[in-house]
Short mmCIF file of all heavy atoms in Angstrom, two decimals:
data_model
loop_
_atom_site.label_atom_id
_atom_site.label_comp_id
_atom_site.label_asym_id
_atom_site.label_seq_id
_atom_site.Cartn_x
_atom_site.Cartn_y
_atom_site.Cartn_z
N LEU S 21 -3.41 -14.64 -7.40
CA LEU S 21 -2.96 -13.27 -7.65
C LEU S 21 -4.05 -12.27 -7.47
O LEU S 21 -3.81 -11.18 -6.90
CB LEU S 21 -2.35 -13.18 -9.07
CG LEU S 21 -0.96 -13.83 -9.31
CD1 LEU S 21 -0.60 -13.82 -10.74
CD2 LEU S 21 0.05 -13.08 -8.46
N LEU S 22 -5.27 -12.55 -7.87
CA LEU S 22 -6.30 -11.64 -7.66
C LEU S 22 -6.73 -11.47 -6.20
O LEU S 22 -7.00 -10.40 -5.77
CB LEU S 22 -7.55 -12.12 -8.47
CG LEU S 22 -7.46 -12.07 -10.00
CD1 LEU S 22 -8.64 -12.71 -10.69
CD2 LEU S 22 -7.25 -10.62 -10.47
N VAL S 23 -6.65 -12.70 -5.44
CA VAL S 23 -6.91 -12.54 -4.02
C VAL S 23 -5.80 -11.73 -3.39
O VAL S 23 -6.07 -10.81 -2.54
CB VAL S 23 -6.94 -14.00 -3.31
CG1 VAL S 23 -6.93 -13.89 -1.83
CG2 VAL S 23 -8.17 -14.68 -3.85
N ALA S 24 -4.49 -11.94 -3.76
CA ALA S 24 -3.45 -11.26 -3.21
C ALA S 24 -3.55 -9.74 -3.47
O ALA S 24 -3.29 -8.90 -2.57
CB ALA S 24 -2.11 -11.72 -3.74
N ALA S 25 -3.88 -9.38 -4.70
CA ALA S 25 -4.07 -7.91 -5.05
C ALA S 25 -5.27 -7.30 -4.23
O ALA S 25 -5.05 -6.22 -3.83
CB ALA S 25 -4.30 -7.84 -6.52
N SER S 26 -6.33 -8.03 -4.10
CA SER S 26 -7.50 -7.44 -3.29
C SER S 26 -7.14 -7.26 -1.90
O SER S 26 -7.51 -6.22 -1.38
CB SER S 26 -8.70 -8.34 -3.56
OG SER S 26 -8.54 -9.53 -2.84
N VAL S 27 -6.43 -8.16 -1.27
CA VAL S 27 -6.11 -7.94 0.17
C VAL S 27 -4.98 -6.93 0.26
O VAL S 27 -4.80 -6.33 1.41
CB VAL S 27 -5.83 -9.21 0.94
CG1 VAL S 27 -7.03 -10.11 0.91
CG2 VAL S 27 -4.62 -9.98 0.36
N GLY S 28 -4.15 -6.79 -0.76
CA GLY S 28 -3.01 -5.87 -0.75
C GLY S 28 -3.38 -4.37 -0.98
O GLY S 28 -2.56 -3.50 -0.76
N LEU S 29 -4.55 -4.23 -1.49
CA LEU S 29 -4.96 -2.80 -1.76
C LEU S 29 -5.09 -1.85 -0.63
O LEU S 29 -4.71 -0.66 -0.75
CB LEU S 29 -6.32 -2.73 -2.51
CG LEU S 29 -6.38 -3.20 -3.97
CD1 LEU S 29 -7.66 -3.28 -4.59
CD2 LEU S 29 -5.35 -2.36 -4.83
N SER S 30 -5.45 -2.41 0.56
CA SER S 30 -5.51 -1.55 1.73
C SER S 30 -3.97 -1.25 2.16
O SER S 30 -3.75 -0.10 2.58
CB SER S 30 -6.16 -2.30 2.91
OG SER S 30 -5.63 -3.54 3.19
N ASN S 31 -3.05 -2.09 1.90
CA ASN S 31 -1.63 -1.76 2.16
C ASN S 31 -1.21 -0.68 1.28
O ASN S 31 -0.44 0.24 1.65
CB ASN S 31 -0.72 -3.01 2.01
CG ASN S 31 -0.99 -3.89 3.16
OD1 ASN S 31 -1.96 -3.99 3.73
ND2 ASN S 31 0.07 -4.73 3.49
N LEU S 32 -1.60 -0.78 -0.02
CA LEU S 32 -1.27 0.33 -1.01
C LEU S 32 -1.74 1.68 -0.46
O LEU S 32 -0.97 2.63 -0.38
CB LEU S 32 -1.83 -0.01 -2.33
CG LEU S 32 -1.62 1.18 -3.49
CD1 LEU S 32 -0.17 1.24 -3.86
CD2 LEU S 32 -2.52 0.87 -4.59
N ALA S 33 -2.97 1.71 -0.08
CA ALA S 33 -3.53 2.96 0.36
C ALA S 33 -2.88 3.51 1.73
O ALA S 33 -2.50 4.63 1.72
CB ALA S 33 -5.04 2.85 0.58
N ALA S 34 -2.66 2.58 2.63
CA ALA S 34 -2.05 3.00 3.92
C ALA S 34 -0.54 3.48 3.67
O ALA S 34 -0.17 4.40 4.22
CB ALA S 34 -2.01 1.90 4.79
N ALA S 35 0.16 2.75 2.68
CA ALA S 35 1.54 3.10 2.38
C ALA S 35 1.60 4.51 1.71
O ALA S 35 2.56 5.19 1.92
CB ALA S 35 2.19 2.05 1.52
N ILE S 36 0.55 4.82 0.99
CA ILE S 36 0.54 6.21 0.39
C ILE S 36 0.54 7.15 1.62
O ILE S 36 1.25 8.15 1.56
CB ILE S 36 -0.59 6.38 -0.55
CG1 ILE S 36 -0.43 5.58 -1.85
CG2 ILE S 36 -0.82 7.83 -0.89
CD1 ILE S 36 -1.63 5.43 -2.80
N GLY S 37 -0.33 6.97 2.49
CA GLY S 37 -0.42 7.82 3.69
C GLY S 37 0.91 7.90 4.51
O GLY S 37 1.29 8.98 4.87
N ILE S 38 1.52 6.77 4.64
CA ILE S 38 2.77 6.80 5.39
C ILE S 38 3.85 7.50 4.62
O ILE S 38 4.68 8.20 5.18
CB ILE S 38 3.23 5.26 5.74
CG1 ILE S 38 2.28 4.65 6.66
CG2 ILE S 38 4.68 5.22 6.21
CD1 ILE S 38 2.44 3.08 6.88
N GLY S 39 3.90 7.33 3.24
CA GLY S 39 4.83 7.96 2.43
C GLY S 39 4.76 9.47 2.43
O GLY S 39 5.85 10.11 2.21
N PHE S 40 3.59 9.98 2.77
CA PHE S 40 3.49 11.45 2.84
C PHE S 40 4.40 12.04 3.85
O PHE S 40 4.92 13.08 3.75
CB PHE S 40 2.08 11.89 3.15
CG PHE S 40 1.27 12.12 1.97
CD1 PHE S 40 0.61 11.06 1.27
CD2 PHE S 40 1.09 13.40 1.46
CE1 PHE S 40 -0.19 11.37 0.20
CE2 PHE S 40 0.32 13.66 0.35
CZ PHE S 40 -0.38 12.66 -0.30
N GLY S 41 4.71 11.26 4.87
CA GLY S 41 5.72 11.68 5.99
C GLY S 41 7.10 11.76 5.56
O GLY S 41 7.94 12.17 6.34
N GLY S 42 7.47 11.22 4.39
CA GLY S 42 8.80 11.16 3.96
C GLY S 42 9.26 9.76 3.83
O GLY S 42 8.81 8.87 4.66
N VAL S 43 10.04 9.35 2.71
CA VAL S 43 10.43 7.95 2.52
C VAL S 43 11.93 7.93 2.54
O VAL S 43 12.58 8.61 1.74
CB VAL S 43 9.86 7.55 1.11
CG1 VAL S 43 10.27 6.19 0.86
CG2 VAL S 43 8.37 7.68 1.10
N THR S 44 12.42 7.11 3.36
CA THR S 44 13.83 6.84 3.42
C THR S 44 14.04 5.36 3.14
O THR S 44 13.12 4.59 3.15
CB THR S 44 14.42 7.16 4.83
OG1 THR S 44 13.83 6.27 5.80
CG2 THR S 44 14.23 8.59 5.23
N ALA S 45 15.29 4.85 2.99
CA ALA S 45 15.58 3.48 2.79
C ALA S 45 15.04 2.68 3.97
O ALA S 45 14.46 1.59 3.87
CB ALA S 45 17.00 3.19 2.53
#
């Protein structure tokens, strides 16, 4: 779980950037 969280943090950050453009289903 710690490995998964550490490699997933970049996805969290990138998804925040993507979300700025608007979030639809």
